């Protein structure tokens, strides 16, 4: 051990005689020293191998990919086109995509937020529309923000089940280029819409051996408040690493039917989804 301090004062007094000199001394100032103790070495501090579990749980998927195809009808300013972007076209038609997910839970109550931004193009210059146009191109930019509150109704080592409720916010921009016959002037139509759909659903997780687990999520909503109807389902498999990291691969399907004036978005989106999860707490 190392010790250091300051001595306020110590006095030494020797009274002299007729043939001796008297001594009176006062000592003060900083002090320092090293101390060594012989004996048994104190036991090392050992971390508790079974610490008390925290009430907080935070999982973050910083970025995931949804290789989603798109099929259905897209309309803007009263013009409607049947779009079809297959899974094989995704890598060419997915201009840009950003997707992330955050899950924060305390005990049995949590909030999960999903954010999706995609820009898709459908080049169908040889697909006629009602004998009026010989072809078209469609561009769809969509922002989906999906915050939902959930209650963990089953929480076991083998798995968990959550009841979910919340709202799905949509912000879409549809843009169409319609090609009349005989090389007439191209007609361009564009329109932007935003709305919120109430949604209800559930999700479950089943833990397997060696860090493997299965997920199944689903919800439905709209109810005429925003869209007429919307629903989605996701199923996948994951693998945990060191109890903090996990890889997830699955399949996701989403449907929405929204109409407002000349704006139409009646589409099916489906495809493979893959992501990397970090358990922050």
């Amino acid at each position: 051990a190392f010790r250091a301090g300051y001595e306020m004062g110590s006095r030494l007094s020797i009274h002299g005689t007729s043939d001796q000199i008297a001594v009176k001394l006062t000592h003060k100032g900083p002090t320092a020293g090293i101390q060594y103790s012989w004996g048994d070495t104190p036991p090392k501090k050992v971390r508790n191998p079974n610490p008390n579990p925290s009430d907080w749980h935070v999982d973050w998927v910083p970025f995931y990919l949804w290789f989603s195809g798109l099929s259905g009808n897209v309309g803007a300013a009263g013009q409607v086109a049947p779009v079809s972007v297959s899974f094989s076209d995704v890598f060419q038609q997915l201009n840009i995509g950003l997707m992330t997910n955050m899950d924060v839970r305390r005990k049995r109550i949590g909030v999960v937020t999903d954010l999706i931004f995609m820009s898709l193009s459908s080049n169908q210059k040889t697909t006629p529309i009602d004998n009026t146009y010989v072809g078209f191109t469609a561009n769809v930019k969509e922002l989906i923000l999906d915050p939902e509150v959930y209650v963990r109704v089953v929480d076991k080592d083998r798995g968990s089940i959550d009841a979910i409720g919340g709202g799905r916010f949509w912000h879409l921009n549809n843009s169409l280029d319609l090609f009349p016959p005989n090389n007439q002037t191209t007609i361009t139509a564009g329109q932007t819409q935003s709305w919120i759909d109430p949604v209800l659903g559930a999700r479950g997780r089943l833990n397997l051996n060696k860090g493997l687990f299965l997920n199944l999520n689903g919800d439905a909503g709209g109810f005429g408040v925003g869209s007429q109807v919307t629903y989605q389902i996701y199923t996948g498999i994951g693998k945990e690493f060191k109890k903090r990291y996990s890889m997830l691969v699955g399949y996701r399907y989403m449907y929405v039917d929204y109409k407002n004036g000349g704006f139409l978005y009646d589409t099916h989106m489906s495809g493979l989804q893959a992501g990397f999860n970090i358990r922050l707490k």
Side-chain angles (χ1 to χ4, degrees), residues 9 17-19 23 31 36-37 40 60-61 94 105 116 146 160 169 187 189 194 220 229 259 269 271 278:
T17 63
S18 59
D19 58 349
V23 177
T31 63
Y36 181 83
S37 299
D40 295 335
W60 180 38
V61 181
L94 182 62
R105 175 171 60 90
I116 300 173
D146 199 351
S160 61
F169 171 77
I187 296 176
S194 300
V229 64
K259 304 179 184 70
M269 294 170 283
I278 303 174

Short mmCIF file of all heavy atoms in Angstrom, two decimals, residues 9 17-19 23 31 36-37 40 60-61 94 105 116 146 160 169 187 189 194 220 229 259 269 271 278:
data_model
loop_
_atom_site.label_atom_id
_atom_site.label_comp_id
_atom_site.label_asym_id
_atom_site.label_seq_id
_atom_site.Cartn_x
_atom_site.Cartn_y
_atom_site.Cartn_z
N GLY A 9 2.41 18.69 12.85
CA GLY A 9 3.47 19.11 13.77
C GLY A 9 3.70 18.09 14.87
O GLY A 9 2.77 17.49 15.40
N THR A 17 20.85 20.95 31.33
CA THR A 17 21.38 21.25 32.67
C THR A 17 22.49 22.28 32.53
O THR A 17 22.70 22.84 31.45
CB THR A 17 21.93 19.96 33.31
OG1 THR A 17 23.01 19.47 32.51
CG2 THR A 17 20.83 18.90 33.41
N SER A 18 23.25 22.45 33.63
CA SER A 18 24.27 23.49 33.60
C SER A 18 25.35 23.22 32.58
O SER A 18 26.01 24.13 32.09
CB SER A 18 24.89 23.66 35.00
OG SER A 18 25.46 22.43 35.44
N ASP A 19 25.54 21.92 32.26
CA ASP A 19 26.59 21.59 31.29
C ASP A 19 26.01 20.98 30.00
O ASP A 19 26.70 20.30 29.26
CB ASP A 19 27.61 20.65 31.92
CG ASP A 19 26.97 19.37 32.43
OD1 ASP A 19 25.71 19.32 32.48
OD2 ASP A 19 27.70 18.43 32.75
N VAL A 23 17.18 21.18 24.03
CA VAL A 23 16.72 21.04 22.63
C VAL A 23 15.19 21.10 22.59
O VAL A 23 14.52 20.40 23.36
CB VAL A 23 17.20 19.71 22.02
CG1 VAL A 23 16.67 19.55 20.61
CG2 VAL A 23 18.72 19.63 22.05
N THR A 31 4.31 13.95 4.15
CA THR A 31 4.88 12.64 4.43
C THR A 31 4.46 11.67 3.33
O THR A 31 3.42 11.84 2.69
CB THR A 31 4.41 12.09 5.78
OG1 THR A 31 2.99 11.90 5.74
CG2 THR A 31 4.76 13.05 6.91
N TYR A 36 4.06 -2.71 3.41
CA TYR A 36 3.92 -4.07 2.91
C TYR A 36 3.45 -4.96 4.05
O TYR A 36 4.00 -4.88 5.16
CB TYR A 36 5.24 -4.59 2.35
CG TYR A 36 5.14 -6.00 1.79
CD1 TYR A 36 4.67 -6.21 0.50
CD2 TYR A 36 5.49 -7.10 2.56
CE1 TYR A 36 4.55 -7.48 -0.02
CE2 TYR A 36 5.38 -8.37 2.05
CZ TYR A 36 4.90 -8.57 0.76
OH TYR A 36 4.79 -9.83 0.26
N SER A 37 2.46 -5.78 3.79
CA SER A 37 1.92 -6.66 4.83
C SER A 37 2.26 -8.11 4.50
O SER A 37 2.08 -8.56 3.36
CB SER A 37 0.39 -6.49 4.91
OG SER A 37 0.07 -5.15 5.25
N ASP A 40 -1.55 -14.03 4.50
CA ASP A 40 -2.32 -14.60 3.40
C ASP A 40 -2.77 -13.51 2.44
O ASP A 40 -3.17 -12.42 2.85
CB ASP A 40 -3.55 -15.34 3.94
CG ASP A 40 -3.15 -16.55 4.77
OD1 ASP A 40 -2.04 -17.06 4.55
OD2 ASP A 40 -3.96 -16.95 5.65
N TRP A 60 -31.60 -3.55 -30.90
CA TRP A 60 -31.53 -2.62 -32.02
C TRP A 60 -31.04 -3.35 -33.27
O TRP A 60 -30.01 -4.01 -33.24
CB TRP A 60 -30.60 -1.45 -31.70
CG TRP A 60 -30.45 -0.43 -32.79
CD1 TRP A 60 -31.43 0.02 -33.62
CD2 TRP A 60 -29.26 0.26 -33.16
NE1 TRP A 60 -30.93 0.96 -34.49
CE2 TRP A 60 -29.60 1.13 -34.23
CE3 TRP A 60 -27.95 0.25 -32.68
CZ2 TRP A 60 -28.65 1.95 -34.84
CZ3 TRP A 60 -27.02 1.07 -33.28
CH2 TRP A 60 -27.37 1.92 -34.35
N VAL A 61 -31.82 -3.22 -34.33
CA VAL A 61 -31.39 -3.67 -35.65
C VAL A 61 -31.00 -2.41 -36.42
O VAL A 61 -31.86 -1.70 -36.94
CB VAL A 61 -32.52 -4.43 -36.39
CG1 VAL A 61 -32.02 -4.90 -37.76
CG2 VAL A 61 -32.99 -5.61 -35.56
N LEU A 94 -34.66 -1.38 -57.04
CA LEU A 94 -34.58 -0.76 -55.73
C LEU A 94 -33.53 0.35 -55.79
O LEU A 94 -32.35 0.12 -55.65
CB LEU A 94 -34.21 -1.78 -54.66
CG LEU A 94 -34.14 -1.28 -53.22
CD1 LEU A 94 -35.49 -0.77 -52.76
CD2 LEU A 94 -33.65 -2.37 -52.29
N ARG A 105 -37.88 -2.38 -23.85
CA ARG A 105 -38.87 -2.98 -22.95
C ARG A 105 -38.39 -2.85 -21.50
O ARG A 105 -37.21 -3.03 -21.21
CB ARG A 105 -39.09 -4.45 -23.29
CG ARG A 105 -40.02 -5.18 -22.33
CD ARG A 105 -40.36 -6.57 -22.87
NE ARG A 105 -39.18 -7.40 -23.04
CZ ARG A 105 -38.67 -8.19 -22.10
NH1 ARG A 105 -39.26 -8.26 -20.90
NH2 ARG A 105 -37.60 -8.91 -22.34
N ILE A 116 -39.07 2.23 -42.39
CA ILE A 116 -38.78 1.75 -43.74
C ILE A 116 -38.86 2.92 -44.70
O ILE A 116 -39.83 3.66 -44.71
CB ILE A 116 -39.79 0.67 -44.19
CG1 ILE A 116 -39.76 -0.54 -43.25
CG2 ILE A 116 -39.51 0.22 -45.62
CD1 ILE A 116 -40.84 -1.56 -43.54
N ASP A 146 -43.56 2.81 -38.00
CA ASP A 146 -44.50 1.90 -37.34
C ASP A 146 -44.17 1.77 -35.85
O ASP A 146 -43.57 0.78 -35.42
CB ASP A 146 -44.42 0.54 -38.03
CG ASP A 146 -45.63 -0.32 -37.75
OD1 ASP A 146 -46.45 0.06 -36.91
OD2 ASP A 146 -45.77 -1.38 -38.39
N SER A 160 -41.43 -16.50 -25.90
CA SER A 160 -42.27 -15.40 -25.42
C SER A 160 -43.37 -15.12 -26.44
O SER A 160 -43.26 -15.44 -27.62
CB SER A 160 -41.43 -14.14 -25.20
OG SER A 160 -40.82 -13.72 -26.40
N PHE A 169 -47.69 4.85 -39.78
CA PHE A 169 -47.71 6.10 -40.54
C PHE A 169 -47.13 5.87 -41.93
O PHE A 169 -46.05 5.30 -42.09
CB PHE A 169 -46.90 7.17 -39.80
CG PHE A 169 -46.68 8.42 -40.60
CD1 PHE A 169 -47.70 9.35 -40.75
CD2 PHE A 169 -45.47 8.66 -41.23
CE1 PHE A 169 -47.51 10.50 -41.49
CE2 PHE A 169 -45.26 9.80 -41.97
CZ PHE A 169 -46.28 10.72 -42.11
N ILE A 187 -47.76 11.65 -70.95
CA ILE A 187 -48.56 12.25 -69.88
C ILE A 187 -47.91 11.87 -68.55
O ILE A 187 -47.68 10.69 -68.25
CB ILE A 187 -50.01 11.76 -69.94
CG1 ILE A 187 -50.67 12.23 -71.24
CG2 ILE A 187 -50.79 12.26 -68.72
CD1 ILE A 187 -52.08 11.72 -71.43
N ALA A 189 -48.10 12.16 -64.33
CA ALA A 189 -48.99 12.40 -63.20
C ALA A 189 -48.24 12.08 -61.91
O ALA A 189 -47.56 11.05 -61.82
CB ALA A 189 -50.25 11.54 -63.31
N SER A 194 -50.36 11.24 -47.23
CA SER A 194 -49.91 10.77 -45.91
C SER A 194 -51.14 10.35 -45.11
O SER A 194 -52.18 11.00 -45.19
CB SER A 194 -49.16 11.87 -45.16
OG SER A 194 -48.02 12.29 -45.87
N ALA A 220 -52.74 -6.46 -38.27
CA ALA A 220 -53.74 -6.02 -39.25
C ALA A 220 -54.36 -4.73 -38.75
O ALA A 220 -54.40 -4.46 -37.54
CB ALA A 220 -54.82 -7.09 -39.43
N VAL A 229 -57.79 -1.35 -45.61
CA VAL A 229 -57.24 -2.47 -44.87
C VAL A 229 -55.74 -2.52 -45.11
O VAL A 229 -55.25 -2.15 -46.18
CB VAL A 229 -57.91 -3.80 -45.29
CG1 VAL A 229 -57.61 -4.12 -46.76
CG2 VAL A 229 -57.43 -4.96 -44.42
N LYS A 259 -57.19 4.57 -50.83
CA LYS A 259 -57.73 5.40 -51.90
C LYS A 259 -58.13 6.74 -51.32
O LYS A 259 -58.73 6.81 -50.24
CB LYS A 259 -58.97 4.75 -52.54
CG LYS A 259 -58.77 3.35 -53.07
CD LYS A 259 -60.07 2.81 -53.65
CE LYS A 259 -59.94 1.36 -54.10
NZ LYS A 259 -59.81 0.45 -52.92
N MET A 269 -46.59 -6.23 -51.12
CA MET A 269 -45.13 -6.18 -51.03
C MET A 269 -44.66 -7.44 -50.30
O MET A 269 -45.14 -7.74 -49.20
CB MET A 269 -44.67 -4.93 -50.28
CG MET A 269 -44.96 -3.63 -51.00
SD MET A 269 -44.66 -2.16 -49.98
CE MET A 269 -46.12 -2.18 -48.95
N GLY A 271 -41.13 -10.43 -49.87
CA GLY A 271 -39.79 -10.84 -50.23
C GLY A 271 -38.97 -11.22 -49.01
O GLY A 271 -39.44 -11.14 -47.86
N ILE A 278 -28.45 -6.15 -32.38
CA ILE A 278 -27.52 -5.90 -31.26
C ILE A 278 -28.35 -5.74 -29.99
O ILE A 278 -29.25 -4.90 -29.94
CB ILE A 278 -26.68 -4.63 -31.49
CG1 ILE A 278 -25.91 -4.73 -32.80
CG2 ILE A 278 -25.72 -4.42 -30.33
CD1 ILE A 278 -25.17 -3.47 -33.16
#
